[in-house]
Amino acid sequence: MNNPIQRWIEHFVAAYPMQRKEGYWQKPLIAYAAASDPLFQSLRQWTHPDHQLPADLLPDAVSVIAYFLPFHPSVPESNRTGRLASREWGEAYIHTNQLITDVNVYLVRRLSNAGYETVYASATHNFDEETLMSLWSHRHAAYIAGLGQFGLHNLLITEKGCCGRIGTLVTNAPVTPSPRPETPACLFKLNGSCGLCVDHCINGSLSQNGYDRHHCYAMCLENAAALSEIGLADVCGKCTVGLPCSTTNPVLLKR
């Protein structure tokens, strides 16, 4: 099912009305994992102790589909200056969340027509309000599927960088799992030669030793208030822009 799923996602994104109007996204990246991959069990140690497994979403889960919607370079470029997130960054966040929902609904229908059941978790706001940790981490599921490696900023660095959004689905359709990259995609993790994401964090939430997620979320809420006229844009993104990994994998470029 890998090839049909890839075609469906690519064609849907290319034909999406907002894509034709605004051009927020580059070509999506797609990867796959086996629902039985033991790394899913590890998520309860890595993230939240109640993190869901694929079988919690779909009892007869066989596969996990993960895709990354890379922003067009103009979107992160718009967010490089100022304390607050740019309007374009906020709009891209809102429209991409809707696109992920629409892609997922479309894939559920296409896979259902092929005889398979498919479910998905919300693209955002599916976190524990006290710990601010997700009960289904799209980033970690995408890592397990091989879409990329985590950077110092805790985001996934794909071959198209970290500026974009991730969608995932769980299905009983069989797929061939994608290989996971072994080499770090983060220059800091590779050889300590970067760390710009820490410098760019606008309110000191991020450090080389970790980050304060509550302090980070407070900044996101500040942006949500400033951008309230466009919808719910509880975002920031300053630690992801103007970096070697913003729109590409810098380690691959060095080879």
Side-chain angles (χ1 to χ4, degrees), residues 14 19-20 28 30 39 42 49 65 73 75 78 112 119 132 135 143-144 158 161 188 202 208-209 237:
Q19 173 76 332
R20 292 181 173 180
I30 301 103
L39 284 185
S42 300
I65 304 165
V75 176
S78 75
S112 176
V119 298
L132 300 181
L135 300 182
Y143 162 75
I144 294 171
T158 73
F188 179 85
I202 205 71
Q208 293 183 4
N209 299 315

Side-chain angles (χ1 to χ4, degrees), residues 12-127:
F12 189 91
V13 173
Y16 199 63
M18 190 59 67
Q19 173 76 332
R20 292 181 173 180
K21 178 182 178 183
E22 302 290 348
Y24 285 118
W25 309 284
Q26 300 182 76
K27 186 177 180 180
L29 305 176
I30 301 103
Y32 311 90
S36 59
D37 191 309
L39 284 185
F40 282 110
Q41 290 283 347
S42 300
L43 292 183
R44 290 179 172 171
Q45 286 76 52
W46 295 349
T47 60
H48 195 286
D50 294 325
H51 192 285
Q52 295 175 300
L53 304 177
D56 294 325
L57 296 179
L58 183 66
D60 62 341
V62 173
S63 310
V64 175
I65 304 165
Y67 57 92
F68 179 68
L69 299 169
F71 289 149
H72 186 277
S74 65
V75 176
E77 184 64 27
S78 75
N79 197 36
R80 291 187 62 171
T81 60
R83 172 179 172 79
L84 297 178
S86 70
R87 182 185 180 97
E88 185 177 357
W89 184 265
E91 289 176 341
Y93 170 80
I94 291 170
H95 292 312
T96 308
N97 286 340
Q98 185 60 55
L99 171 56
I100 289 171
T101 298
D102 293 343
V103 167
N104 289 349
V105 169
Y106 175 68
L107 286 177
V108 167
R109 177 167 60 82
R110 291 302 300 253
L111 286 166
S112 176
N113 290 342
Y116 302 108
E117 188 175 357
T118 307
V119 298
Y120 59 90
S122 171
T124 189
H125 302 115
N126 62 333
F127 52 78

